[in-house]
Amino acid sequence: MTSGWARLRRLAPAAAVLAAMAIVTASAEIPLNERRSGYADLGRETKAMQDDDTANPGMLAVLDGETLWSAKAGSAGRSCADCHGDARASMKGVSARYPAFDAASGRPVNIEQRINLCREERQQAKPLAYESRDMLALSAFVGLQSRGQPIAPPDDARLEPFRDAGRETYNRRQGQLNLACGHCHDDNRGQRLAGIVIPQAHPTGYPLYRLEWQSVGSLQRRLRNCLIGMRAEHYAYGAPEYVELETYLMWRARGMPMETPAVRP
Amino acid sequence: MKFMLTALLANVLVMTAAPAQEALQRYEVVGDAIPSSLTGVPGDAERGRAIVLKRENTCLLCHSGPFPDERFQGDLSPNLAGAGARWSEGQLRLRLVDASRLNPATIMPSYYRVDGLTRVGATWRGKPILTAEQIEDAVAYLTTLRQ
């Protein structure tokens, strides 16, 4: 009798794991040769806006970022350029490789977190808040140096558990509408949600200018919007879940060209 | 003592002022249908049409329907035209209340269910997407879509 109970109690965690697995219903990943950037579905005018640097509103953030790159900051009195030199050379392809593994924290960090690590450790400056003008400017300027470069997640085994966690979050039903990211962006990509073509959710152009926002915003801002649309609780900016999602999404978009600063509706 | 009493009273007032959580109506599933009205009375088809069209109620995000004046309709899911010919009233009711009972992989949200959900935002937690009255009105409307 007691052994029966003991066995049941041992089995309970396994049952819980099975129940959790049932909730995660993985969508089929998009075949590599069927992937397309949201750019492909833009109207002619929005495409033209992205393509012309004098018309692309995201370039204003880039220009601000260029100024910040050479501005001394923090008690170290050092600028980004003092260590990294000309960003056109030193930052080429960098945003295309992030999130990357940070040995000190034992976790992946995205490009915004990398910028803040530099600020805190090298410049002894205060970290910049997510979505602040300066953070968007610096990440847009750094991102521009990867424009046209293929997204190239590091071949780093330490990233794998975080990428897997991101994939699980992507495929987990959430919110009052009980939807997973993959329900729209994999299973129903190219269909129309309320008349609007559902993109494949490849983060090729962040930070990007969204006409709906009338401003530049980060990938995490976009993820937050989607979660609110699903009527789910969103995560705090910089939360591990977001960085894991970013890690998965960049891997999912591997090889696709960077477009920062992209323009989207 | 007087202070404590005031505090206690204030507490009671706050508790009664908070909107009581509407308990979901019980319902019986027979086959692939809920034959009886959730409210015990038939819904109103005219109000139901407005419910189906209202953007916050999310129907037209995924479905299209016989609504030539509505610009933004979805095409992820079956067109609502003819829904009343394809399904009985009871079948429509279950499909609105909890379509996942019929197909666990469906993307159709359960419009009258609050359990088994994950990370529901605070604004929506513990509330069904539609009330029992709204479900009945929507069902009454959908049964009229026979073409």
Side-chain angles (χ1 to χ4, degrees):
Chain A
M1 186 68 193
T2 27
S3 69
W5 273 113
R7 197 176 309 139
L8 266 181
R9 286 179 58 174
R10 276 201 305 277
L11 283 174
V17 168
L18 279 175
M21 281 169 66
I23 296 169
V24 178
T25 46
S27 305
E29 272 170 15
I30 303 171
L32 292 185
N33 61 357
E34 287 176 28
R35 292 175 310 167
R36 54 196 267 136
S37 161
Y39 177 86
D41 297 317
L42 295 180
R44 193 169 47 85
E45 284 175 17
T46 317
K47 274 184 180 163
M49 194 187 276
Q50 175 172 321
D51 293 343
D52 177 357
D53 281 351
T54 64
N56 183 338
M59 287 306 287
L60 294 172
V62 168
L63 290 175
D64 284 345
E66 187 170 17
T67 307
L68 287 172
W69 182 260
S70 306
K72 298 200 183 297
S75 51
R78 225 179 264 157
S79 72
C80 309
D82 286 340
C83 287
H84 294 288
D86 186 348
R88 280 173 297 185
S90 64
M91 291 295 116
K92 187 173 179 179
V94 170
S95 289
R97 295 197 292 270
Y98 271 75
F101 193 79
D102 172 53
S105 60
R107 301 192 50 84
V109 292
N110 62 19
I111 195 69
E112 290 91 344
Q113 291 171 322
R114 181 63 252 175
I115 288 169
N116 271 340
L117 284 171
C118 260
R119 283 182 64 83
E120 290 180 280
E121 290 168 8
R122 311 284 176 210
Q123 299 177 296
Q124 278 136 48
K126 279 194 182 137
L128 299 170
Y130 268 92
E131 307 310 300
S132 65
R133 181 175 170 276
D134 285 0
M135 176 55 90
L136 291 168
L138 271 173
S139 56
F141 176 65
V142 171
L144 177 76
Q145 314 311 322
S146 295
R147 190 162 66 175
Q149 298 279 311
I151 291 176
D155 186 13
D156 183 342
R158 295 172 300 177
L159 285 172
E160 273 171 36
F162 300 97
R163 191 173 71 207
D164 290 346
R167 183 192 283 113
E168 258 175 55
T169 302
Y170 181 89
N171 285 307
R172 183 180 303 127
R173 287 181 183 265
Q174 298 198 47
Q176 193 193 36
L177 301 188
N178 205 24
L179 294 168
C181 311
H183 284 134
C184 279
H185 298 292
D186 290 331
D187 300 348
N188 285 289
R189 61 185 190 271
Q191 301 286 105
R192 286 176 183 274
L193 184 74
I196 313 288
V197 173
I198 299 175
Q200 296 184 358
H202 298 301
T204 49
Y206 286 93
L208 55 70
Y209 186 88
R210 265 178 86 80
L211 300 171
E212 184 193 317
W213 294 338
Q214 295 281 298
S215 70
V216 173
S218 71
L219 174 55
Q220 292 201 5
R221 182 172 176 190
R222 187 68 194 83
L223 295 173
R224 188 185 178 99
N225 282 182
C226 260
L227 285 166
I228 292 170
M230 291 147 72
R231 303 186 178 177
E233 196 165 10
H234 53 74
Y235 305 96
Y237 278 116
E241 288 87 350
Y242 277 143
V243 181
E244 289 160 6
L245 266 173
E246 288 182 76
T247 306
Y248 172 60
L249 289 174
M250 287 295 270
W251 177 83
R252 190 171 162 272
R254 63 198 179 280
M256 297 177 76
M258 291 280 289
E259 299 169 46
T260 307
V263 178
R264 294 290 183 271
Chain B
M1 186 62 199
K2 190 178 173 196
F3 168 75
M4 274 180 66
L5 200 66
T6 320
L8 206 67
L9 264 175
N11 244 334
V12 171
L13 281 174
V14 167
M15 282 167 67
T16 44
Q21 183 68 59
E22 190 207 355
L24 297 193
Q25 301 292 332
R26 289 164 173 275
Y27 56 85
E28 192 191 354
V29 177
V30 180
D32 73 337
I34 302 174
S36 306
S37 163
L38 298 177
T39 58
V41 292
D44 178 299
E46 204 171 313
R47 281 202 309 260
R49 183 177 195 275
I51 286 164
V52 168
L53 290 184
K54 195 172 179 187
R55 305 218 71 82
E56 300 94 283
N57 294 334
T58 71
C59 309
L60 297 192
L61 290 183
C62 294
H63 294 278
S64 299
F67 319 115
D69 295 337
E70 290 293 319
R71 281 183 61 208
F72 300 108
Q73 305 183 38
D75 66 359
L76 277 61
S77 307
N79 194 301
L80 297 178
R86 293 194 293 273
W87 310 108
S88 71
E89 179 197 305
Q91 286 174 320
L92 286 165
R93 189 176 288 111
L94 178 56
R95 278 152 183 79
L96 284 179
V97 164
D98 190 2
S100 72
R101 274 177 181 255
L102 301 166
N103 172 15
T106 187
I107 58 168
M108 171 93 169
S110 300
Y111 282 82
Y112 197 67
R113 174 158 75 88
V114 295
D115 60 319
L117 303 174
T118 310
R119 304 190 71 258
V120 176
T123 316
W124 303 283
R125 206 170 299 152
K127 298 172 190 157
I129 303 171
L130 297 177
T131 65
E133 288 75 16
Q134 288 174 316
I135 295 277
E136 289 308 321
D137 291 344
V139 166
Y141 172 62
L142 292 172
T143 56
T144 68
L145 299 180
R146 305 200 59 84
Q147 299 284 315

